[in-house]
Amino acid sequence: VNILGISALYHDSGACLVRDGDLVAAAQEERFTRKKHDAGIPTNAAAYCLHEGKVGKNDLDLVMFYDKPITKFTRLLTSYSEVAPSGLSPFLKAVPVWLKDKAWVAYQIESALQGLGYRPRAVEFAEHHISHAASAFFPSPFKEAAIITVDGVGEWTTTSVGVGEGSSVKLLLEHRFPHSLGLLYSAFTYFTGFKVNSGEYKLMGLAPYGEPVYADRIKDKLVSIREDGSFHLDMSYFGYLNDLKMTNDRFAELFDGPARKPESPIGKREMNLARSIQVVTEEIMQKIARFARAITGKKNLCLAGGVALNCVSNGKLVRSRLFDDIWVQPAAGDAGGALGAALYAWYRVLGKPRKTDERHDAMKGGFLGPGFSREQVKKFLDMNELPYEELEDGPRNELLAKALSEEKVVGLLQGRMEFGPRALGGRSIIADARSVKMQSYLNLATKFRESFRPFAPIVLKEDAPEYFEVVHESPYMLMVDQVRKERCKPQPEAPEAGKDGGIDLKEWVNTPRSDVPAITHVDYSARIQTVDEERNPRLHALLRAFKAVTGYGILVNTSFNVRSEPIVCTPEDAYRCFMRTGIDILVLDNFVLHKQKQPEWTESSNWKDEFGLD
Amino acid sequence: VWGSACGVSAFSLGSPAARRAIDGALARFGRAVGSVLGAVLLTLVYVIVVTPTRFVRRLTGADDLHLRDADRASYWLPCDTDARKVRYVGAMFATEVRRSGGHPLRTALILAASFVLLAEGIARMFGFGHPVLYVADPDVGYYPEPDVHVVRYGGLVATNRFGMRSPDVTPSKPPGVFRILMLGDSTLWGGSYIDQEDLYSSQLLARMNSEGLPGKVEVLAMSANGWGPFHERGFVKKFGVFGADLALIQMPIDDINRPLYGLMSVPFFATGAPPRFALEEEMNTLIWSYRSRHAGLDERWELRQSQYGIHEYGRLADDLHGAGCEVMLFLHPTQSPGFGGDEGHREATWTHQLEDTLAEHGVKVQLARGVFAGKGTVKEIYYDNMHLNPTGHHVYAEFIEGRIKADSTRFQRWASGQLAEKDRP
């Protein structure tokens, strides 16, 4: 049975092919269209999945959409009828889009698939948080587990607690719009000058620079939190019900002035706000987890939804030891809903049995996207007359290890592309974690992004305890842990704000904090990806080669893209990014390209204009 | 405009680039116009539908967004069952736990009030709340208010200065005009809300004036729902015959059972006391209908009253003759005789009695037996067993015209120019 899961029309659309319960392929549309967070019908991603699975034109049994569009529209209208006559602006903006596009999603999907030559036997719809819950539980290694899904909003649900057992997923309790932890976090994202549905990572990364001085104010005024983790927002501070903005004047008054303008200097207030909302988020997540444990009695936890990408909160959940084990869906955002919807159809709707060895998850390391054969890569290089050398894995790794140890930056495209927001070594930029200048260099010269943003380490799984306190397994880079104390170095006081209120974060960032400073955040934390031989043998071998040269089985790993650009998909994307940025060496599987040997790269226009602000 | 259009067309024909630019500009213009129109339409929806909904929801205590229940001990809400979610996996809507709707009594009251408002609005759309009013009169009983203009079910109901459903006329007949006065009940009035133009009196007026006659024919249709011979006689006594040459009494046979009564016996509103609400008018009709059904006619009463009624029609004929009119009586057929069938026993008996009585007063009863046969289906002709639909009115007008031309000696003389003014009322 071939089931195609689809998520689309809001943000991060994606497609996933499940055949007889097996995850065959999954990809996000943005990787093909090169449009960050592309929300369109994922025609390219669906085409890839169907091609990867070699699905015959008449063999597509079911298409599952990850959402219930009519209920979502009803929620929209109900919200307007709660705030009218204010709220006209968002009404005028939203309703035409709904009437024109979103209400006809089934037709759009069928049309797109017919354009590819497929005629699905049925199109069905799973609820948004059911899709998230299914994406969290079914691929997990657990036979049974508590489930928590938290995001901005689905149809009505914003947060849910459920339980997974065998081939069933049940949601027990929920929060409904507008009371949303995801939207609360997004309100602060907006207020601190970052883009909603995109800049939440930045806010999380900014948090360690600040102090939680606003946490009590948030809890007193914005959100009432009960001991069972349930919460209630005071909507008089928020704009998203009746305006095109997330927050309103009352919110600004509460937090000492207007929202920060995008791209303006970041001041102490923004850092403190970031830290405060992070602390509140963690508190709520802790309480929800404790409650979930109590009402389900399960010893394992599965997480999904956009808030489950808050790896700082995830790390604290792990360290709290509320659960024996925690598994987070790597594509926890909306794209992962496609995967969840497809698995829900297989296990719950079709009632198929589910088996797990309780050790391995079903995500195949997250490498569910397109891969390129030796012939395809070689053809690309030869056609474009690009100088390269082809090396076996051993020599290649030795060469790369040496280059990395000399502070060279390597762009790595090997095997299949990752599904989800994280680059896990398939489409990554890697560098030496010991380098003091590396964080600043990668941010400013390679990725062209804000200097304060941290980088994550990839570490040999067997070496993780040498570097980190508690988290010893995190194959999908979804947990933050503290760098071991003995590796850390004392830091000077935070720098004072300049005349414009901004703080020179570059200087702060360049202060060494440990013997692996490039991956040690200012609070000595790090977002860890452990690499094991079973899931990711080639990356594991590269880390071992680097360790052989330097004694450190750890590297910086960041996504292979620049700011606002989707992660690269094809060798062509990778080469373009390589030539535009400060990457020194490009690896396309076994082909190695050195920057200094490449022909001069020219473009007719400023390529940075191609991508908007993220 | 045409000049500009031709100029732009010629210009665009000469250059593909210009054509593209013009196309683009027009497309942008169209898009802008569409956007503005869309925004205006949606704004109207927001103001007219969404905003009132907010206040209704607030009154009913609805709080779907849980904005007003911050004091709950826990904010968790139950999810719907897994089984229902699976069952409705094909649907584009999500299943949800059914929640109680707050205070049932308040909700019921608000819903009832909303229903009443809605019903009032709908009734007003059909013209209710603004009915034809009636003048209460001790001699006539009641008669339609003069100079009325009401639209009901899309049909115009208009009266002239005398309360007649006819074009306005002068009190005294102009020279050279042949004037016909029609007296009758709801069948003449058009009780089934027949449009003014479709009434058989209006049709008769049109037909009579379409041929080469020596002068103009005027048709004065004086009638009211519920009228009988006593009302008609009262009207003639009080207001005269307006110089009519020919008086046509229009009646179904049941009219013989109608004594003189006033507005207290019919569901009509008097001038000076119109209904304040559309629903008031409807309720008034419903209550009257209910009471009539449960306080209906007794056979013995009918037997006695019918004799009075037949006698009164004779006296009406005398009054009309006395006023100088030639008199004809048209007995309006029910469905069966209208299509050539038999009357019921009671109807037949009364018809014979009426014919005999009227013959004594020099009037021949004209029964339109079978006149509708072959002219349409029952549904096309009749609105109910008695009242006619527009098609029926048209056919009946033709019948009356024919009888007038065949049987009215005064009309024949006038039409042939042999009727001297001194012989006319």
Side-chain angles (χ1 to χ4, degrees), chain A residues 181-196 199-200 203 206 214-215 217-219 222-223 238 246-247 251 254-255 259-260 269-270 272-278 280-281:
Chain A
L181 185 55
L183 292 177
L184 175 67
Y185 205 89
S186 292
F188 279 89
T189 304
Y190 163 81
F191 193 72
T192 49
F194 302 117
K195 197 171 174 183
V196 172
E200 282 77 6
L203 193 67
L206 187 63
Y214 293 111
R217 212 179 292 181
I218 292 170
K219 289 192 281 185
L222 297 188
V223 54
F238 297 92
M246 291 297 290
T247 61
F251 191 98
L254 185 65
F255 294 112
R260 171 185 163 253
R269 183 186 71 150
E270 283 71 39
N272 290 340
L273 282 169
R275 180 67 183 275
S276 302
I277 189 59
Q278 181 62 34
V280 172
T281 301

Short mmCIF file of all heavy atoms in Angstrom, two decimals, chain A residues 181-196 199-200 203 206 214-215 217-219 222-223 238 246-247 251 254-255 259-260 269-270 272-278 280-281:
data_model
loop_
_atom_site.label_atom_id
_atom_site.label_comp_id
_atom_site.label_asym_id
_atom_site.label_seq_id
_atom_site.Cartn_x
_atom_site.Cartn_y
_atom_site.Cartn_z
N LEU A 181 1.33 28.01 23.30
CA LEU A 181 2.73 28.24 23.70
C LEU A 181 3.56 28.64 22.49
O LEU A 181 4.44 29.50 22.59
CB LEU A 181 3.28 26.95 24.34
CG LEU A 181 4.67 27.02 24.93
CD1 LEU A 181 4.80 28.14 25.95
CD2 LEU A 181 5.05 25.69 25.58
N GLY A 182 3.27 28.02 21.36
CA GLY A 182 4.00 28.36 20.14
C GLY A 182 3.79 29.81 19.74
O GLY A 182 4.73 30.52 19.37
N LEU A 183 2.54 30.25 19.84
CA LEU A 183 2.25 31.64 19.45
C LEU A 183 2.79 32.62 20.49
O LEU A 183 3.17 33.74 20.15
CB LEU A 183 0.74 31.83 19.25
CG LEU A 183 0.16 31.09 18.05
CD1 LEU A 183 -1.35 31.27 17.98
CD2 LEU A 183 0.80 31.57 16.75
N LEU A 184 2.82 32.21 21.75
CA LEU A 184 3.45 33.05 22.78
C LEU A 184 4.92 33.25 22.43
O LEU A 184 5.44 34.38 22.48
CB LEU A 184 3.30 32.38 24.15
CG LEU A 184 4.00 33.07 25.31
CD1 LEU A 184 3.37 34.43 25.61
CD2 LEU A 184 3.96 32.20 26.57
N TYR A 185 5.59 32.17 22.09
CA TYR A 185 7.02 32.26 21.72
C TYR A 185 7.18 33.10 20.46
O TYR A 185 8.09 33.93 20.36
CB TYR A 185 7.57 30.85 21.51
CG TYR A 185 9.06 30.75 21.73
CD1 TYR A 185 9.58 30.48 22.99
CD2 TYR A 185 9.96 30.94 20.69
CE1 TYR A 185 10.95 30.39 23.20
CE2 TYR A 185 11.33 30.86 20.88
CZ TYR A 185 11.82 30.58 22.13
OH TYR A 185 13.17 30.51 22.35
N SER A 186 6.27 32.90 19.51
CA SER A 186 6.35 33.67 18.27
C SER A 186 6.09 35.16 18.52
O SER A 186 6.64 36.01 17.82
CB SER A 186 5.33 33.14 17.25
OG SER A 186 5.70 31.87 16.82
N ALA A 187 5.24 35.47 19.50
CA ALA A 187 4.99 36.88 19.84
C ALA A 187 6.29 37.53 20.28
O ALA A 187 6.59 38.67 19.89
CB ALA A 187 3.94 36.96 20.93
N PHE A 188 7.08 36.83 21.06
CA PHE A 188 8.37 37.38 21.48
C PHE A 188 9.37 37.40 20.32
O PHE A 188 10.22 38.28 20.25
CB PHE A 188 8.91 36.59 22.68
CG PHE A 188 8.28 37.01 23.97
CD1 PHE A 188 7.11 36.42 24.41
CD2 PHE A 188 8.82 38.03 24.73
CE1 PHE A 188 6.50 36.83 25.59
CE2 PHE A 188 8.22 38.45 25.91
CZ PHE A 188 7.05 37.84 26.34
N THR A 189 9.24 36.42 19.46
CA THR A 189 10.10 36.43 18.26
C THR A 189 9.85 37.70 17.46
O THR A 189 10.77 38.39 17.04
CB THR A 189 9.79 35.19 17.39
OG1 THR A 189 9.96 34.03 18.18
CG2 THR A 189 10.70 35.13 16.18
N TYR A 190 8.56 37.99 17.28
CA TYR A 190 8.18 39.20 16.55
C TYR A 190 8.65 40.44 17.29
O TYR A 190 9.22 41.36 16.70
CB TYR A 190 6.65 39.21 16.39
CG TYR A 190 6.09 40.55 16.02
CD1 TYR A 190 6.10 41.00 14.71
CD2 TYR A 190 5.55 41.38 17.02
CE1 TYR A 190 5.59 42.25 14.38
CE2 TYR A 190 5.05 42.63 16.69
CZ TYR A 190 5.06 43.06 15.38
OH TYR A 190 4.58 44.29 15.06
N PHE A 191 8.42 40.46 18.59
CA PHE A 191 8.71 41.66 19.38
C PHE A 191 10.21 41.96 19.43
O PHE A 191 10.62 43.11 19.54
CB PHE A 191 8.15 41.49 20.80
CG PHE A 191 8.11 42.76 21.59
CD1 PHE A 191 7.19 43.76 21.29
CD2 PHE A 191 8.99 42.98 22.63
CE1 PHE A 191 7.16 44.95 22.01
CE2 PHE A 191 8.97 44.15 23.35
CZ PHE A 191 8.05 45.14 23.05
N THR A 192 11.01 40.92 19.37
CA THR A 192 12.46 41.14 19.41
C THR A 192 13.04 41.34 18.00
O THR A 192 14.25 41.35 17.82
CB THR A 192 13.17 39.95 20.09
OG1 THR A 192 12.69 38.74 19.53
CG2 THR A 192 12.92 39.95 21.58
N GLY A 193 12.18 41.49 17.03
CA GLY A 193 12.62 41.89 15.70
C GLY A 193 12.97 40.77 14.77
O GLY A 193 13.61 40.99 13.73
N PHE A 194 12.55 39.56 15.08
CA PHE A 194 12.81 38.43 14.19
C PHE A 194 11.52 38.02 13.49
O PHE A 194 10.42 38.40 13.89
CB PHE A 194 13.40 37.25 14.97
CG PHE A 194 14.67 37.58 15.69
CD1 PHE A 194 14.75 37.53 17.08
CD2 PHE A 194 15.80 37.97 14.99
CE1 PHE A 194 15.91 37.84 17.73
CE2 PHE A 194 16.98 38.29 15.65
CZ PHE A 194 17.04 38.23 17.03
N LYS A 195 11.69 37.21 12.47
CA LYS A 195 10.54 36.84 11.64
C LYS A 195 9.80 35.66 12.26
O LYS A 195 10.43 34.64 12.60
CB LYS A 195 11.04 36.48 10.24
CG LYS A 195 9.97 36.48 9.19
CD LYS A 195 10.62 36.32 7.82
CE LYS A 195 9.60 36.16 6.73
NZ LYS A 195 10.23 35.95 5.43
N VAL A 196 8.48 35.79 12.35
CA VAL A 196 7.66 34.72 12.92
C VAL A 196 7.71 33.50 12.00
O VAL A 196 7.76 33.63 10.78
CB VAL A 196 6.21 35.22 13.09
CG1 VAL A 196 5.28 34.09 13.50
CG2 VAL A 196 6.16 36.32 14.13
N GLY A 199 12.25 32.91 12.80
CA GLY A 199 13.26 33.46 13.70
C GLY A 199 13.24 32.89 15.10
O GLY A 199 13.98 33.34 15.98
N GLU A 200 12.39 31.88 15.34
CA GLU A 200 12.32 31.31 16.69
C GLU A 200 13.65 30.70 17.12
O GLU A 200 14.03 30.77 18.30
CB GLU A 200 11.21 30.26 16.76
CG GLU A 200 9.80 30.84 16.87
CD GLU A 200 9.24 31.38 15.57
OE1 GLU A 200 9.91 31.21 14.52
OE2 GLU A 200 8.16 31.97 15.58
N LEU A 203 15.82 33.47 18.43
CA LEU A 203 15.45 33.89 19.78
C LEU A 203 16.01 32.91 20.80
O LEU A 203 16.54 33.31 21.85
CB LEU A 203 13.92 33.95 19.89
CG LEU A 203 13.37 34.65 21.12
CD1 LEU A 203 13.69 36.13 21.08
CD2 LEU A 203 11.87 34.47 21.24
N LEU A 206 19.60 33.50 21.14
CA LEU A 206 19.92 34.77 21.80
C LEU A 206 19.74 34.67 23.32
O LEU A 206 20.37 35.43 24.07
CB LEU A 206 18.99 35.85 21.24
CG LEU A 206 19.22 37.30 21.65
CD1 LEU A 206 20.60 37.79 21.17
CD2 LEU A 206 18.13 38.20 21.07
N TYR A 214 12.44 39.32 32.88
CA TYR A 214 11.02 39.54 32.56
C TYR A 214 10.15 38.31 32.82
O TYR A 214 8.95 38.35 32.57
CB TYR A 214 10.87 39.92 31.08
CG TYR A 214 11.48 41.25 30.71
CD1 TYR A 214 12.61 41.32 29.90
CD2 TYR A 214 10.92 42.43 31.15
CE1 TYR A 214 13.17 42.53 29.55
CE2 TYR A 214 11.48 43.66 30.81
CZ TYR A 214 12.60 43.70 30.01
OH TYR A 214 13.14 44.91 29.67
N ALA A 215 10.75 37.26 33.30
CA ALA A 215 9.99 36.00 33.43
C ALA A 215 8.79 36.17 34.35
O ALA A 215 7.68 35.71 34.02
CB ALA A 215 10.91 34.89 33.92
N ARG A 217 7.21 38.88 35.06
CA ARG A 217 6.22 39.76 34.43
C ARG A 217 5.40 38.98 33.40
O ARG A 217 4.20 39.18 33.28
CB ARG A 217 6.95 40.93 33.75
CG ARG A 217 6.15 42.21 33.77
CD ARG A 217 6.90 43.34 33.13
NE ARG A 217 8.07 43.78 33.88
CZ ARG A 217 8.85 44.78 33.50
NH1 ARG A 217 8.57 45.46 32.40
NH2 ARG A 217 9.91 45.13 34.20
N ILE A 218 6.07 38.12 32.66
CA ILE A 218 5.35 37.30 31.68
C ILE A 218 4.32 36.44 32.37
O ILE A 218 3.16 36.33 31.94
CB ILE A 218 6.35 36.42 30.88
CG1 ILE A 218 7.24 37.30 30.00
CG2 ILE A 218 5.61 35.40 30.04
CD1 ILE A 218 8.41 36.55 29.37
N LYS A 219 4.73 35.85 33.48
CA LYS A 219 3.82 34.94 34.18
C LYS A 219 2.71 35.69 34.91
O LYS A 219 1.60 35.19 35.07
CB LYS A 219 4.60 34.05 35.14
CG LYS A 219 5.46 33.02 34.41
CD LYS A 219 6.01 31.98 35.33
CE LYS A 219 7.21 32.49 36.08
NZ LYS A 219 7.86 31.46 36.91
N LEU A 222 0.97 37.93 31.20
CA LEU A 222 0.65 37.35 29.89
C LEU A 222 0.06 35.96 29.96
O LEU A 222 -0.86 35.63 29.21
CB LEU A 222 1.91 37.29 29.01
CG LEU A 222 2.58 38.60 28.63
CD1 LEU A 222 3.68 38.33 27.61
CD2 LEU A 222 1.58 39.57 28.05
N VAL A 223 0.60 35.16 30.83
CA VAL A 223 0.21 33.75 30.81
C VAL A 223 0.04 33.22 32.23
O VAL A 223 0.93 33.35 33.07
CB VAL A 223 1.24 32.90 30.02
CG1 VAL A 223 2.64 33.06 30.51
CG2 VAL A 223 0.85 31.43 29.98
N PHE A 238 -2.03 40.74 23.13
CA PHE A 238 -1.58 40.16 21.86
C PHE A 238 -2.39 40.73 20.70
O PHE A 238 -3.54 41.14 20.87
CB PHE A 238 -1.71 38.64 21.88
CG PHE A 238 -0.84 38.01 22.93
CD1 PHE A 238 -1.33 37.76 24.21
CD2 PHE A 238 0.48 37.68 22.66
CE1 PHE A 238 -0.53 37.20 25.19
CE2 PHE A 238 1.29 37.12 23.63
CZ PHE A 238 0.79 36.88 24.90
N MET A 246 1.69 40.42 15.91
CA MET A 246 1.57 39.43 16.97
C MET A 246 1.28 40.08 18.32
O MET A 246 0.66 39.48 19.19
CB MET A 246 2.86 38.61 17.08
CG MET A 246 3.12 37.68 15.93
SD MET A 246 1.86 36.40 15.73
CE MET A 246 2.15 35.38 17.16
N THR A 247 1.79 41.28 18.52
CA THR A 247 1.63 41.94 19.82
C THR A 247 1.02 43.32 19.61
O THR A 247 0.96 43.82 18.49
CB THR A 247 2.98 42.10 20.52
OG1 THR A 247 3.82 42.92 19.69
CG2 THR A 247 3.66 40.76 20.73
N PHE A 251 1.38 45.30 25.08
CA PHE A 251 2.53 44.40 25.20
C PHE A 251 3.81 45.23 25.24
O PHE A 251 4.69 45.01 26.08
CB PHE A 251 2.53 43.46 23.99
CG PHE A 251 3.50 42.30 24.08
CD1 PHE A 251 3.07 41.05 24.48
CD2 PHE A 251 4.83 42.46 23.76
CE1 PHE A 251 3.96 39.98 24.54
CE2 PHE A 251 5.72 41.41 23.81
CZ PHE A 251 5.28 40.15 24.20
N LEU A 254 4.25 46.92 28.46
CA LEU A 254 4.66 45.98 29.51
C LEU A 254 6.15 45.70 29.46
O LEU A 254 6.79 45.46 30.49
CB LEU A 254 3.87 44.67 29.35
CG LEU A 254 4.06 43.60 30.41
CD1 LEU A 254 3.54 44.09 31.77
CD2 LEU A 254 3.32 42.33 30.02
N PHE A 255 6.70 45.76 28.25
CA PHE A 255 8.12 45.40 28.10
C PHE A 255 8.97 46.60 27.68
O PHE A 255 9.88 46.49 26.87
CB PHE A 255 8.26 44.23 27.13
CG PHE A 255 7.65 42.97 27.66
CD1 PHE A 255 6.53 42.43 27.08
CD2 PHE A 255 8.16 42.36 28.80
CE1 PHE A 255 5.94 41.30 27.58
CE2 PHE A 255 7.57 41.22 29.32
CZ PHE A 255 6.45 40.68 28.71
N ALA A 259 8.46 47.34 19.84
CA ALA A 259 9.17 46.17 19.33
C ALA A 259 10.45 46.61 18.61
O ALA A 259 10.51 47.70 18.03
CB ALA A 259 8.27 45.41 18.36
N ARG A 260 11.46 45.76 18.67
CA ARG A 260 12.71 46.06 17.96
C ARG A 260 12.46 45.96 16.46
O ARG A 260 11.77 45.05 15.99
CB ARG A 260 13.78 45.04 18.38
CG ARG A 260 15.04 45.12 17.54
CD ARG A 260 16.02 44.02 17.91
NE ARG A 260 17.01 43.86 16.86
CZ ARG A 260 17.07 42.86 16.00
NH1 ARG A 260 16.20 41.87 16.08
NH2 ARG A 260 17.99 42.82 15.06
N ARG A 269 17.76 44.50 26.33
CA ARG A 269 16.35 44.18 26.53
C ARG A 269 15.97 42.95 25.71
O ARG A 269 15.30 42.04 26.21
CB ARG A 269 15.48 45.36 26.12
CG ARG A 269 13.99 45.08 26.38
CD ARG A 269 13.09 46.16 25.84
NE ARG A 269 13.05 46.16 24.38
CZ ARG A 269 11.99 46.55 23.67
NH1 ARG A 269 10.90 46.96 24.29
NH2 ARG A 269 12.01 46.56 22.36
N GLU A 270 16.38 42.92 24.45
CA GLU A 270 16.02 41.79 23.59
C GLU A 270 16.62 40.49 24.14
O GLU A 270 15.98 39.43 24.13
CB GLU A 270 16.51 42.01 22.16
CG GLU A 270 15.66 42.98 21.35
CD GLU A 270 15.79 44.41 21.80
OE1 GLU A 270 16.94 44.83 22.13
OE2 GLU A 270 14.78 45.13 21.85
N ASN A 272 17.36 39.88 27.27
CA ASN A 272 16.62 39.51 28.48
C ASN A 272 15.23 38.95 28.14
O ASN A 272 14.75 38.03 28.80
CB ASN A 272 16.49 40.72 29.40
CG ASN A 272 17.83 41.09 30.01
OD1 ASN A 272 18.75 40.27 30.06
ND2 ASN A 272 17.95 42.33 30.46
N LEU A 273 14.62 39.55 27.14
CA LEU A 273 13.31 39.03 26.73
C LEU A 273 13.45 37.60 26.20
O LEU A 273 12.63 36.73 26.52
CB LEU A 273 12.71 39.92 25.63
CG LEU A 273 12.07 41.23 26.09
CD1 LEU A 273 11.76 42.11 24.88
CD2 LEU A 273 10.79 40.96 26.88
N ALA A 274 14.49 37.38 25.40
CA ALA A 274 14.71 36.03 24.84
C ALA A 274 14.92 35.02 25.97
O ALA A 274 14.33 33.94 25.96
CB ALA A 274 15.92 36.06 23.91
N ARG A 275 15.72 35.41 26.93
CA ARG A 275 15.99 34.50 28.03
C ARG A 275 14.72 34.26 28.86
O ARG A 275 14.44 33.13 29.28
CB ARG A 275 17.09 35.10 28.92
CG ARG A 275 17.47 34.23 30.11
CD ARG A 275 18.14 32.93 29.67
NE ARG A 275 18.43 32.09 30.80
CZ ARG A 275 19.54 32.18 31.55
NH1 ARG A 275 20.45 33.11 31.26
NH2 ARG A 275 19.74 31.39 32.56
N SER A 276 13.96 35.32 29.06
CA SER A 276 12.77 35.22 29.91
C SER A 276 11.73 34.30 29.28
O SER A 276 11.18 33.43 29.96
CB SER A 276 12.17 36.61 30.13
OG SER A 276 13.12 37.45 30.71
N ILE A 277 11.47 34.49 28.00
CA ILE A 277 10.44 33.65 27.39
C ILE A 277 10.94 32.20 27.26
O ILE A 277 10.16 31.25 27.35
CB ILE A 277 9.99 34.21 26.02
CG1 ILE A 277 8.76 33.45 25.50
CG2 ILE A 277 11.08 34.16 24.98
CD1 ILE A 277 7.57 33.50 26.40
N GLN A 278 12.25 32.05 27.13
CA GLN A 278 12.82 30.70 27.09
C GLN A 278 12.59 30.01 28.44
O GLN A 278 12.17 28.85 28.49
CB GLN A 278 14.31 30.77 26.75
CG GLN A 278 14.99 29.42 26.67
CD GLN A 278 14.44 28.51 25.57
OE1 GLN A 278 14.03 28.99 24.51
NE2 GLN A 278 14.41 27.22 25.82
N VAL A 280 10.29 30.69 30.67
CA VAL A 280 8.85 30.41 30.85
C VAL A 280 8.45 29.20 30.01
O VAL A 280 7.71 28.32 30.46
CB VAL A 280 8.01 31.65 30.47
CG1 VAL A 280 6.52 31.31 30.45
CG2 VAL A 280 8.28 32.79 31.43
N THR A 281 8.94 29.14 28.78
CA THR A 281 8.64 28.00 27.91
C THR A 281 9.11 26.69 28.55
O THR A 281 8.39 25.69 28.57
CB THR A 281 9.31 28.18 26.54
OG1 THR A 281 8.84 29.39 25.96
CG2 THR A 281 9.00 27.02 25.61
#
